[in-house]
Amino acid sequence: MVKSGKTKKKYHKPTKPHHHLNPPPAQANKPISVKTLPAHLVLEILYRTPVKSLVRFKSVSKSWFALINHPTFIKMHLDFNTSKNDKNKLICSCGYGTFIDIALLSLSEEPMNVLRINKDFTERPNYPRKINFRDFSKNMVLAGSVNGIVCLSHSEEMSERFVVLWNPSICCWCPIALVETKSWDNMSVGIGFDEVINDYKVICIVPEFRFEDYGWSRIEVYSTNQGSWEDVDKKGKIHFRPNTDLNHCNFIVNGVPYWAGLDLRPGYVDVLGRIDPFTGLFKKIEHPKHVRNEITRVNPVKLRESVAALIQSPGDYPNNVIDLYLLDENTTKWTKMYSIGPLVSGNVCEEMQIPQCFSTGIASLLVRVLQPRRELGMH
Amino acid sequence: MRSISRWMRRILAKVIEFCMKHAESLDPEELDAWDDDFFKMDNSTLFDIIKAANYLDIKSLLDLTCKTVANMIKGKSPEEIRRIFNIKNDFTPEEEQEVRMENQCALEHE
């Protein structure tokens, strides 16, 4: 229980016995009373107010401006509005042909379309304004999202290339220009949240293009607070090459982006890489130790707020089982949780696509062989 | 001997009415409809109920009343907000204009 510490002036006035003890002061003087709420109760109301309105309320007064901009308030508002149910949604980019839809998918509801990008459109009549660069609609790729901030990037070579940060709740676009003097070919984009200084960081891994540097990549980190790319010297080169079929990080866990890729030393080894948004440092995480056969595949995924690995067909011989491992982010050690399966009777599923996991713990595996889609419940 | 003012009596009566209704009925739909009706009151009373619910530590009432106020204010202009919360505008016209310009993208999409 939080009590307000306001004292009312009338306590100091001499009172006659039959006077009411706590008349609201305004009512005593004005017919139309305007009550003043104590600050902590105004906060309770503002936590329940949508972001778009809060942005508008910044111009109410200087103290409201300071409050709404304050990182602590922003975090409290975010925490207040992020319930378990919200995490049921997966924002993804889908579609063929002319349109790409960015939508929220959830198990319990219909997919909710957030933005439709028409790839053939050079004019953009329906798009939110403040987009002042060309061709953003073509070949946009969804890199990921953190705390509701979405990162989009281009996937193909263009004369001018951009990465965009987008806040759907207030429809605000923030294009980020890539440094022109550097090469950004085949870059893989991620987004992370630096908890230490409350900063959203755009993190790119750019593979080196020169033949002699094959297998190396450089890291570029953009700080949203600073509005600029950080100065990364030779330390920014890593012996890691992100898988180029995606142009973005595989997933983001606790504000940290993860990439699946190759460590070309000593041989071609599949690894998982993470880049810490605060330090900008890369860390290699090896796959869990397991026995392989010719069709074994390791799929790193995000499961709730952890990193997991789904290993298809582990063991000496091909099989229909999937092993689930969870990663301890501090020790970078994997723990096997359980085995799922056998999945499909009869044929071995060779064409299994990369599974995606909802954060409630339900994994969706796309199985091409027998059925278009198959879902498994997991605890 | 202390007496409870007429105003305070009115607020307490509302709070008790709410608590009794929510104690006797468990049907969420019925409660939702009843709540919609219950919260049709002026801002002054809404604020008083917020204060009372806070003091008496009735979380559900506090939550619902705050939500009601939040829904009511969400479409409003800064000037209306100032009137509702009795806030003085301490921006100069130029400063206020600057703040509005900075947040143009949100303003455009109401």
Side-chain angles (χ1 to χ4, degrees):
Chain A
M1 174 160 72
V2 184
K3 285 197 198 182
S4 119
K6 258 180 27 173
T7 43
K8 300 195 176 171
K9 282 187 184 154
K10 64 192 159 312
Y11 284 130
H12 301 300
K13 288 188 199 157
T15 52
K16 297 181 199 167
H18 65 274
H19 261 213
H20 302 300
L21 276 176
N22 291 314
Q27 266 182 18
N29 302 321
K30 307 179 204 172
I32 303 166
S33 64
V34 179
K35 296 293 181 66
T36 313
L37 266 189
H40 66 285
L41 293 179
V42 174
L43 273 182
E44 290 290 337
I45 295 172
L46 293 184
Y47 290 147
R48 296 163 172 84
T49 308
V51 177
K52 238 185 241 188
S53 300
L54 287 180
V55 173
R56 210 172 48 243
F57 296 165
K58 284 193 206 178
S59 52
V60 166
S61 76
K62 288 186 181 171
S63 51
W64 276 51
F65 181 83
L67 170 75
I68 296 172
N69 278 333
H70 199 282
T72 308
F73 172 78
I74 293 172
K75 177 144 208 325
M76 303 263 336
H77 187 276
L78 178 69
D79 286 347
F80 188 91
N81 288 292
T82 311
S83 67
K84 273 199 163 181
N85 291 333
D86 287 351
K87 294 190 178 163
N88 229 339
K89 303 200 165 134
L90 179 72
I91 187 164
C92 78
S93 195
C94 39
Y96 297 96
T98 323
F99 291 101
I100 295 181
D101 285 324
I102 297 185
L104 294 175
L105 300 181
S106 125
L107 284 178
S108 46
E109 294 162 20
E110 287 294 306
M112 189 166 77
N113 201 320
V114 180
L115 180 71
R116 164 160 282 190
I117 297 175
N118 185 331
K119 292 206 287 185
D120 293 337
F121 239 163
T122 46
E123 295 305 309
R124 303 173 296 274
N126 299 320
Y127 297 145
R129 290 158 244 172
K130 293 205 75 143
I131 299 167
N132 49 12
F133 56 98
R134 315 183 300 259
D135 298 327
F136 101 96
S137 56
K138 297 183 181 177
N139 305 312
M140 278 308 261
V141 157
L142 183 72
S145 77
V146 177
N147 292 344
I149 308 284
V150 180
C151 182
L152 301 157
S153 77
H154 292 288
S155 66
E156 276 185 18
E157 221 177 301
M158 287 179 198
S159 52
E160 282 178 67
R161 301 147 72 106
F162 292 86
V163 172
V164 177
L165 285 180
W166 170 40
N167 186 338
S169 62
I170 58 170
C171 234
C172 199
W173 295 78
C174 176
I176 299 166
L178 303 179
V179 176
E180 280 169 29
T181 51
K182 299 186 181 181
S183 157
W184 298 84
D185 288 351
N186 297 316
M187 70 172 178
S188 192
V189 184
I191 177 175
F193 181 66
D194 179 347
E195 277 184 336
V196 178
I197 59 173
N198 251 315
D199 194 6
Y200 289 92
K201 299 267 173 81
V202 177
I203 302 170
C204 296
I205 300 182
V206 190
E208 288 295 312
F209 57 92
R210 287 204 308 243
F211 182 73
E212 53 268 28
D213 291 329
Y214 188 77
W216 292 88
S217 304
R218 73 173 204 275
I219 301 175
E220 297 277 358
V221 180
Y222 176 89
S223 156
T224 314
N225 286 356
Q226 305 287 332
S228 64
W229 293 92
E230 291 178 356
D231 217 354
V232 180
D233 54 15
K234 286 287 182 229
K235 276 193 298 197
K237 282 233 173 94
I238 53 174
H239 209 271
F240 173 79
R241 202 176 171 85
N243 288 340
T244 47
D245 50 342
L246 296 176
N247 312 93
H248 55 83
C249 59
N250 286 62
F251 46 80
I252 303 161
V253 172
N254 292 326
V256 179
Y258 286 79
W259 280 263
L262 287 178
D263 182 349
L264 285 98
R265 171 201 56 185
Y268 286 68
V269 180
D270 284 309
V271 293
L272 195 60
R274 56 169 283 175
I275 296 182
D276 185 305
F278 176 52
T279 59
L281 292 179
F282 173 83
K283 188 165 186 180
K284 174 180 81 170
I285 300 170
E286 292 176 357
H287 286 175
K289 300 232 179 312
H290 59 283
V291 181
R292 301 184 61 91
N293 55 67
E294 56 265 29
I295 65 163
T296 303
R297 270 175 58 178
V298 180
N299 296 309
V301 293
K302 175 179 176 178
L303 184 65
R304 285 192 213 94
E305 287 310 309
S306 305
V307 179
L310 295 172
I311 303 187
Q312 295 165 228
S313 179
D316 292 311
Y317 302 102
N319 56 69
N320 302 338
V321 173
I322 297 183
D323 280 349
L324 175 84
Y325 288 74
L326 272 189
L327 177 75
D328 178 329
E329 285 163 68
N330 295 323
T331 63
T332 65
K333 293 218 173 322
W334 296 90
T335 309
K336 180 173 174 184
M337 303 304 289
Y338 34 75
S339 298
I340 309 163
L343 271 192
V344 177
S345 59
N347 295 325
V348 171
C349 307
E350 296 191 17
E351 287 294 328
M352 214 177 275
Q353 296 188 348
I354 299 172
Q356 298 296 322
C357 287
F358 288 116
S359 54
T360 53
I362 299 186
S364 169
L365 306 174
L366 293 175
V367 178
R368 226 187 248 155
V369 178
L370 291 182
Q371 296 158 224
R373 198 172 95 162
R374 175 125 172 209
E375 290 179 29
L376 303 173
M378 292 163 63
H379 298 289
Chain B
M1 187 142 76
R2 291 175 156 225
S3 63
I4 301 179
S5 67
R6 194 179 311 148
W7 158 81
M8 192 186 270
R9 238 183 279 151
R10 192 168 61 86
I11 300 300
L12 280 179
K14 280 273 171 197
V15 172
I16 292 170
E17 188 191 343
F18 177 88
C19 293
M20 290 194 55
K21 180 65 185 177
H22 279 249
E24 78 187 18
S25 167
L26 290 174
D27 177 6
E29 274 182 28
E30 185 198 340
L31 283 178
D32 274 347
W34 188 90
D35 287 343
D36 278 345
D37 218 42
F38 176 77
F39 285 111
K40 287 186 177 132
M41 48 180 81
D42 58 279
N43 290 351
S44 179
T45 314
L46 276 174
F47 282 12
D48 284 333
I49 300 224
I50 290 179
K51 287 195 268 196
N54 173 59
Y55 181 78
L56 296 168
D57 201 16
I58 306 171
K59 291 195 172 52
S60 58
L61 179 59
L62 179 66
D63 180 52
L64 280 171
T65 321
C66 287
K67 241 189 240 170
T68 305
V69 175
N71 277 330
M72 186 258 298
I73 65 171
K74 70 181 176 192
K76 298 219 174 336
S77 70
E79 184 48 47
E80 290 171 296
I81 298 293
R82 287 184 203 119
R83 240 179 289 140
I84 292 171
F85 289 94
N86 200 17
I87 300 171
K88 188 168 184 315
N89 181 5
D90 51 359
F91 281 124
T92 67
E94 296 80 30
E95 286 170 335
E96 189 178 338
Q97 183 64 5
E98 204 184 313
V99 175
R100 280 174 189 263
M101 291 301 291
E102 268 177 27
N103 301 303
Q104 198 62 27
C105 54
L107 295 174
E108 281 179 350
H109 289 280
E110 279 307 311

